[in-house]
Protein backbone atom coordinates (compact mmCIF):
# COMPACT_ATOMS: atom_id res chain seq x y z
CA UNK A 1 0.00 0.00 0.00
CA UNK A 2 1.48 3.39 -0.99
CA UNK A 3 2.01 6.20 1.49
CA UNK A 4 -0.40 9.12 1.36
CA UNK A 5 0.56 12.78 1.24
CA UNK A 6 -1.56 15.58 2.67
CA UNK A 7 -0.70 19.12 1.66
CA UNK A 8 -2.47 21.89 3.52
CA UNK A 9 -2.30 24.98 1.30
CA UNK A 10 -2.34 28.12 3.47
CA UNK A 11 -2.88 31.57 2.01
CA UNK A 12 -0.74 33.85 4.18
CA UNK A 13 -0.64 37.66 3.87
CA UNK A 14 2.90 39.05 3.72
CA UNK A 15 2.60 40.68 7.15
CA UNK A 16 1.73 37.29 8.74
CA UNK A 17 4.50 35.16 7.21
CA UNK A 18 6.96 35.56 10.08
CA UNK A 19 4.19 34.89 12.62
CA UNK A 20 3.09 31.71 10.83
CA UNK A 21 6.66 30.39 10.67
CA UNK A 22 7.21 31.21 14.35
CA UNK A 23 4.02 29.37 15.32
CA UNK A 24 5.02 26.27 13.37
CA UNK A 25 8.52 26.37 14.88
CA UNK A 26 6.96 26.48 18.36
CA UNK A 27 4.30 23.84 17.69
CA UNK A 28 3.93 21.07 20.23
CA UNK A 29 5.35 18.50 17.80
CA UNK A 30 2.71 15.91 18.64
CA UNK A 31 2.35 14.85 15.01
CA UNK A 32 5.89 13.43 15.05
CA UNK A 33 4.90 10.77 17.58
CA UNK A 34 1.68 9.79 15.80
CA UNK A 35 1.44 6.21 14.57
CA UNK A 36 1.87 6.09 10.80
CA UNK A 37 3.43 9.58 10.54
CA UNK A 38 6.34 9.61 8.07
CA UNK A 39 7.32 13.21 7.24
CA UNK A 40 6.53 16.92 7.80
CA UNK A 41 7.74 20.04 5.98
CA UNK A 42 6.59 23.65 6.05
CA UNK A 43 7.34 25.12 2.61
CA UNK A 44 7.71 28.91 2.25
CA UNK A 45 6.74 30.46 -1.10
CA UNK A 46 9.66 32.05 -2.93
CA UNK A 47 7.90 33.99 -5.67
CA UNK A 48 4.63 34.21 -7.53
CA UNK A 49 2.35 33.11 -4.69
CA UNK A 50 1.40 33.90 -1.10
CA UNK A 51 0.57 30.28 -0.31
CA UNK A 52 2.57 28.14 2.11
CA UNK A 53 2.46 24.36 1.79
CA UNK A 54 2.28 22.20 4.91
CA UNK A 55 3.45 18.79 3.66
CA UNK A 56 2.83 15.65 5.68
CA UNK A 57 3.29 12.04 4.58
CA UNK A 58 1.50 9.12 6.22
CA UNK A 59 1.70 5.34 6.02
CA UNK A 60 -2.03 5.23 5.17
CA UNK A 61 -5.20 7.30 4.90
CA UNK A 62 -6.38 5.57 8.08
CA UNK A 63 -3.29 6.79 10.00
CA UNK A 64 -3.94 10.37 8.86
CA UNK A 65 -7.60 10.18 9.87
CA UNK A 66 -6.69 8.66 13.23
CA UNK A 67 -4.32 11.59 13.87
CA UNK A 68 -7.04 14.10 12.86
CA UNK A 69 -9.34 12.50 15.44
CA UNK A 70 -6.64 12.36 18.15
CA UNK A 71 -6.75 14.38 21.34
CA UNK A 72 -3.53 16.22 20.48
CA UNK A 73 -4.90 17.37 17.09
CA UNK A 74 -8.27 18.35 18.58
CA UNK A 75 -6.70 20.16 21.53
CA UNK A 76 -4.31 22.18 19.37
CA UNK A 77 -6.97 23.21 16.90
CA UNK A 78 -9.53 23.95 19.63
CA UNK A 79 -6.97 26.20 21.34
CA UNK A 80 -6.34 28.06 18.06
CA UNK A 81 -10.09 28.47 17.52
CA UNK A 82 -10.61 29.78 21.06
CA UNK A 83 -7.77 32.27 20.70
CA UNK A 84 -9.15 33.48 17.37
CA UNK A 85 -12.67 33.79 18.82
CA UNK A 86 -11.27 35.76 21.76
CA UNK A 87 -9.89 38.23 19.24
CA UNK A 88 -13.22 38.36 17.38
CA UNK A 89 -11.95 36.58 14.29
CA UNK A 90 -13.66 33.76 12.39
CA UNK A 91 -11.96 30.37 12.53
CA UNK A 92 -13.77 27.89 10.31
CA UNK A 93 -12.23 24.45 10.50
CA UNK A 94 -13.38 21.93 7.93
CA UNK A 95 -9.89 20.85 6.82
CA UNK A 96 -11.16 20.96 3.30
CA UNK A 97 -11.58 24.06 1.26
CA UNK A 98 -12.10 26.40 4.17
CA UNK A 99 -11.67 30.05 4.88
CA UNK A 100 -9.99 31.79 7.77
CA UNK A 101 -8.31 28.80 9.35
CA UNK A 102 -5.80 29.88 11.97
CA UNK A 103 -3.03 27.39 11.34
CA UNK A 104 0.07 27.86 13.37
CA UNK A 105 -1.96 27.99 16.58
CA UNK A 106 -1.30 31.36 18.12
CA UNK A 107 -3.25 34.58 18.60
CA UNK A 108 -5.84 34.56 15.81
CA UNK A 109 -5.40 33.09 12.36
CA UNK A 110 -2.13 33.67 10.52
CA UNK A 111 -3.64 32.27 7.31
CA UNK A 112 -6.54 33.90 5.52
CA UNK A 113 -7.54 30.68 3.74
CA UNK A 114 -6.79 26.98 3.56
CA UNK A 115 -7.42 23.94 1.40
CA UNK A 116 -6.29 20.34 1.77
CA UNK A 117 -4.79 18.40 -1.14
CA UNK A 118 -4.45 14.59 -0.98
CA UNK A 119 -2.11 12.36 -2.98
CA UNK A 120 -0.82 8.79 -3.07
CA UNK A 121 2.91 8.28 -3.50
CA UNK A 122 3.38 6.50 -6.83
CA UNK A 123 7.16 6.79 -7.11
CA UNK A 124 9.93 8.30 -5.01
CA UNK A 125 13.72 8.35 -4.82
CA UNK A 126 16.40 9.03 -2.23
CA UNK A 127 20.07 9.84 -2.81
CA UNK A 128 22.19 6.86 -3.80
CA UNK A 129 24.45 5.58 -1.07
CA UNK A 130 28.16 5.69 -1.94
Amino acid sequence: MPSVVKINVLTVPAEMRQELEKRFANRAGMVESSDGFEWFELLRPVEGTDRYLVYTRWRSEEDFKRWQQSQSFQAGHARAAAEAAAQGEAHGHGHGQGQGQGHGHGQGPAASGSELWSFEVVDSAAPKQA
Side-chain angles (χ1 to χ4, degrees), residues 20-83:
L20 179 92
E21 292 179 22
K22 183 178 82 173
R23 292 178 189 181
F24 269 97
N26 293 330
R27 73 190 193 289
M30 297 299 282
V31 69
E32 286 93 329
S33 58
S34 296
D35 188 43
F37 169 80
E38 295 179 351
W39 199 258
F40 161 87
E41 289 178 317
L42 175 62
L43 305 177
R44 176 193 303 133
V46 176
E47 59 183 86
T49 184
D50 58 356
R51 302 198 303 174
Y52 277 73
L53 302 181
V54 183
Y55 174 102
T56 57
R57 190 176 70 217
W58 299 86
R59 179 179 53 206
S60 69
E61 181 70 24
E62 292 71 30
D63 290 316
F64 173 73
K65 288 181 177 174
R66 194 168 28 257
W67 171 71
Q68 274 192 313
Q69 295 162 1
S70 71
Q71 284 189 318
S72 58
F73 178 91
Q74 299 295 336
H77 288 76
R79 183 175 64 249
E83 289 168 352

Side-chain angles (χ1 to χ4, degrees), residues 85-104:
Q87 297 213 347
E89 300 194 48
H91 184 83
H93 217 293
H95 256 281
Q97 294 188 357
Q99 302 262 351
Q101 296 187 22
H103 286 78

